[in-house]
Amino acid sequence: MSSNVDKTTAAGAMAAATAKDARSPAIEIGPLAGMIGYVLRRAQLAVFDDVIANFSELDLRPAEYSVLVLLGHAPGAKQSDVAAALGIQRANFVVLFDRLERRGLARRSSAPNDRRSYALYLTDEGEKVLARATSLESQHERVLDEKLGPGGRERLLELLGKLAERG
Amino acid sequence: MSSNVDKTTAAGAMAAATAKDARSPAIEIGPLAGMIGYVLRRAQLAVFDDVIANFSELDLRPAEYSVLVLLGHAPGAKQSDVAAALGIQRANFVVLFDRLERRGLARRSSAPNDRRSYALYLTDEGEKVLARATSLESQHERVLDEKLGPGGRERLLELLGKLAERG
DNA sequence: TATTGTTATACTCTATAACTATA
DNA sequence: TATAGTTATAGAGTATAACAATA
């Protein structure tokens, strides 16, 4: 999963872009630094890299964590509703959830009124993994808060919420 | 590339998550709404979807546009430096640039001092496409400014810049 | 007829290893 | 020995079509 050979990752690029080293005649990103989409993408990649690194002991991907969080918050939710709430295609959600189920972290239960659908629940093991992951995630949020400064989180979440509105 | 059958995209999910419709018993994302990484990802997807839609007449992907912008800003830059500045792996950049070259938008020129490397340039056609794309992109930035409100852009770029710093 | 879950498939993006030609 | 470009490949993530079971 990790290596230190031929590292030209986003991290490396950002470092190179700001370094003043005669051996790396790095070029500036210029006008891209003022484009919301570009800066947003780079920030998202940096944050996700940290999340993935923080979850490494759990072998849990961000999308999988979001499913666990949602099941902790809305146990018994319908499979298609969970997928829709997270913006995941039904077809892709099947595979994602299969993995959680095979690992014993979540389970499908037959829904009471509709024999087509499933009600989804965390297992006891899933509750434990969710608790541990949330602890790691909380630590990470505190690191982000240090980077953002006082009031930064509130301002950022408000602005990002406006961007996420569709239409 | 587009269709209106079975749309369970992130857009649909966000709409469903906020709608009050008896036929869509949508569930709330709960704690996810307070997590920087999750909100950041949803915002980035929404913005990129708009960028891609705005560029549809040019058949230009965000990463390709970023290369054109960089070549407009730093003509003659080395291939590996452009890739590093954008956080793209050398190996993947080759394929990306091949497509721009085949379309006649950019070209590789032999570098003066190093026969291993290339100096990259826009073609005249590439300049035209860059100009058109930048015009479309500017329009999009103004739409984003309306969403963000007065001072929103400046605050957002500053906060995102802090998140993008690695370490 | 429409919806739920499912399978299969394809396309993009990304990461790594290995090669070549130069330095 | 190290670097620039390249090729090939594999893994994620994502999108679409089609099907069976059920509504």
Side-chain angles (χ1 to χ4, degrees), chain A residues 6 8-11 13-14 25 27-49 65-66 69-70 73-74 77 81-82 84-90 137 141 144 147-148 152-153 155-157 159-167, chain B residues 6 8-11 13-14 25 27-49 65-66 69-70 73-74 77 81-82 84-90 137 141 144 147-148 152-153 155-157 159-167:
Chain A
D6 197 24
T8 311
T9 60
M14 288 306 264
I27 58 184
E28 295 156 19
I29 60 172
L32 293 172
M35 299 182 190
I36 302 279
Y38 182 81
V39 179
L40 198 48
R41 176 63 171 156
R42 293 302 287 255
Q44 186 259 308
L45 286 174
V47 171
F48 262 45
D49 279 357
Y65 175 63
S66 71
V69 169
L70 219 59
H73 181 252
D81 288 340
V82 174
L86 295 174
I88 301 172
Q89 302 282 337
R90 281 182 311 160
E137 161 62 10
E141 294 286 333
L144 295 178
K147 289 189 181 184
L148 294 171
R153 156 181 300 272
R155 274 177 283 144
L156 179 62
L157 288 177
L159 292 165
L160 292 176
K162 290 175 177 172
L163 291 183
E165 289 167 15
R166 301 281 181 156
Chain B
D6 195 25
T8 312
T9 60
M14 288 307 266
I27 58 185
E28 295 157 18
I29 59 171
L32 293 171
M35 298 183 190
I36 303 278
Y38 182 81
V39 179
L40 197 50
R41 176 65 172 153
R42 294 303 286 256
Q44 186 259 308
L45 286 173
V47 171
F48 262 45
D49 279 358
Y65 175 62
S66 71
V69 169
L70 219 59
H73 181 253
D81 288 341
V82 173
L86 296 174
I88 302 172
Q89 303 280 340
R90 283 181 310 160
E137 161 63 10
E141 294 286 332
L144 295 178
K147 291 190 180 182
L148 294 173
R153 155 181 301 273
R155 272 177 285 144
L156 180 61
L157 288 177
L159 291 165
L160 292 176
K162 289 174 179 174
L163 291 183
E165 288 166 17
R166 302 281 180 155

Side-chain angles (χ1 to χ4, degrees), chain A residues 107-120:
Chain A
R107 61 189 174 83
R108 290 171 165 96
S109 175
S110 49
N113 299 323
D114 190 336
R115 286 196 299 173
R116 290 172 303 181
S117 66
Y118 290 122
L120 305 186

Side-chain angles (χ1 to χ4, degrees), chain A residues 22-127:
Chain A
R23 286 184 296 181
S24 58
I27 58 184
E28 295 156 19
I29 60 172
L32 293 172
M35 299 182 190
I36 302 279
Y38 182 81
V39 179
L40 198 48
R41 176 63 171 156
R42 293 302 287 255
Q44 186 259 308
L45 286 174
V47 171
F48 262 45
D49 279 357
D50 281 351
V51 170
I52 292 168
N54 285 329
F55 283 174
S56 63
E57 68 176 73
L58 298 173
D59 187 26
L60 200 62
R61 291 176 272 231
E64 294 173 334
Y65 175 63
S66 71
V67 172
L68 297 186
V69 169
L70 219 59
L71 294 189
H73 181 252
K78 273 179 48 186
Q79 181 167 315
S80 54
D81 288 340
V82 174
L86 295 174
I88 301 172
Q89 302 282 337
R90 281 182 311 160
N92 296 328
F93 188 87
V94 171
V95 182
L96 192 165
F97 196 82
D98 282 349
R99 183 162 182 265
L100 293 177
E101 203 169 32
R102 257 182 283 111
R103 290 179 63 184
L105 303 183
R107 61 189 174 83
R108 290 171 165 96
S109 175
S110 49
N113 299 323
D114 190 336
R115 286 196 299 173
R116 290 172 303 181
S117 66
Y118 290 122
L120 305 186
Y121 296 92
L122 295 175
T123 61
D124 289 350
E125 175 68 12
E127 302 270 12

Side-chain angles (χ1 to χ4, degrees), chain A residues 125-142:
Chain A
E125 175 68 12
E127 302 270 12
K128 285 181 200 163
V129 168
L130 171 58
R132 175 64 181 151
T134 296
S135 168
L136 293 167
E137 161 62 10
S138 295
Q139 284 180 250
H140 182 221
E141 294 286 333
R142 283 195 288 276

